[in-house]
Amino acid sequence: MVNLYRNDIPSDLVFQNSVAVDTETMGLVTKRDRLCLVQLCSENGDVHLVQMQKNMYHMAENLRILFTKESVLKIFHFARFDISILNYTFDIHVAPIYCTKVASKLARTYTDRHGLKNLCKEVLDVDISKQEQSSDWGREQLSNEQLKYAAGDVLYLHGLRSKLDKMLIREGRMDIAQKCFRILELFPDLELANIDPEELFLH
Ligand code: MN
């Protein structure tokens, strides 16, 4: 089931325990490229797409509550980018978070293929398309191809988390993973302060 909304989710849309989240933007530069779409997927596989209109970000009160709610884990793939644009756009701190890319890097040290497409293929045996990745997400009416692609980006994150958690436990890296997810919350703050996190810890 895929639902499409504008500027916010309805107040009666409730997520238990966890929600898979992705965003589509005009580009990859937080302060330059605006947020266009927020994709959410519940644990039972319902997808909710929220199209964000320019200058209407103040309308997203229910999204703000969801993204900062301590009892709901927000699952991303490459959380660093998504939480940066969400924190900046909505003036919030998204937490708590889980990143399937970081989990994959900690659990699957036998490979350097940690993109969503590769991860879905190897861990879940699912083929996802990445064709609409670079398209105009700011347009007034998104195409069916865009909506399908956008839904695909959140549809498998719960399944990935479940498989990756098993691997992390098996390899004794769950504790490190959880600490990494907490540290990830700091990256948007460093970015907005123009502090390079890589450089910060160098000699
Ligand atoms: Mn995406």
Side-chain angles (χ1 to χ4, degrees):
M1 185 174 71
V2 177
N3 301 289
L4 186 59
Y5 311 103
R6 272 186 203 269
N7 302 316
D8 199 9
I9 49 172
S11 58
D12 60 358
L13 177 59
V14 178
F15 296 91
Q16 310 286 346
N17 308 311
S18 64
V19 59
V21 187
D22 189 34
T23 61
E24 303 302 333
T25 62
M26 286 304 291
L28 298 175
V29 182
T30 301
K31 293 183 195 173
R32 182 193 68 187
D33 300 321
R34 72 177 189 92
L35 178 66
C36 300
L37 188 73
V38 175
Q39 303 106 284
L40 306 170
C41 184
S42 65
E43 283 165 85
N44 64 15
D46 290 340
V47 174
H48 306 273
L49 306 177
V50 191
Q51 203 175 356
M52 306 302 303
Q53 292 172 298
K54 209 175 168 183
N55 304 320
M56 297 292 268
Y57 301 111
H58 61 282
M59 302 284 288
E61 198 44 44
N62 297 318
L63 279 178
R64 277 191 180 82
I65 292 168
L66 174 65
F67 288 147
T68 54
K69 200 171 187 175
E70 200 52 47
S71 61
V72 182
L73 183 69
K74 272 66 71 174
I75 306 168
F76 299 89
H77 184 75
F78 196 53
R80 186 173 165 180
F81 175 75
D82 298 292
I83 62 172
S84 178
I85 191 82
L86 291 173
N87 285 2
Y88 180 70
T89 303
F90 296 129
D91 194 23
I92 55 173
H93 267 89
V94 179
I97 62 172
Y98 184 104
C99 179
T100 52
K101 188 161 205 168
V102 168
S104 175
K105 286 185 175 184
L106 289 170
R108 299 168 66 248
T109 44
Y110 55 82
T111 179
D112 58 1
R113 293 162 75 90
H114 303 286
L116 186 61
K117 194 177 164 63
N118 286 314
L119 204 49
C120 283
K121 184 66 199 156
E122 194 204 289
V123 176
L124 300 175
D125 198 23
V126 169
D127 280 304
I128 62 161
S129 160
K130 274 280 156 198
Q131 238 172 39
E132 297 292 324
Q133 188 162 33
S134 310
S135 63
D136 180 9
W137 292 100
R139 56 195 281 193
E140 192 60 28
Q141 295 290 336
L142 295 173
S143 70
N144 284 337
E145 288 70 33
Q146 282 179 310
L147 296 175
K148 202 175 151 214
Y149 163 83
D153 269 0
V154 281
L155 205 46
Y156 305 106
L157 296 182
H158 288 286
L160 287 176
R161 179 202 169 197
S162 161
K163 289 277 172 83
L164 289 167
D165 273 358
K166 287 195 179 79
M167 291 180 80
L168 286 168
I169 290 166
R170 191 188 75 201
E171 299 305 319
R173 292 217 184 98
M174 191 50 138
D175 184 53
I176 290 182
Q178 275 163 353
K179 284 173 181 157
C180 288
F181 301 147
R182 292 307 310 271
I183 287 172
L184 261 177
E185 292 174 21
L186 189 62
F187 278 71
D189 302 282
L190 292 172
E191 191 188 322
L192 289 178
N194 286 315
I195 294 165
D196 178 357
E198 272 80 21
E199 199 278 330
L200 186 62
F201 296 109
L202 286 176
H203 178 64

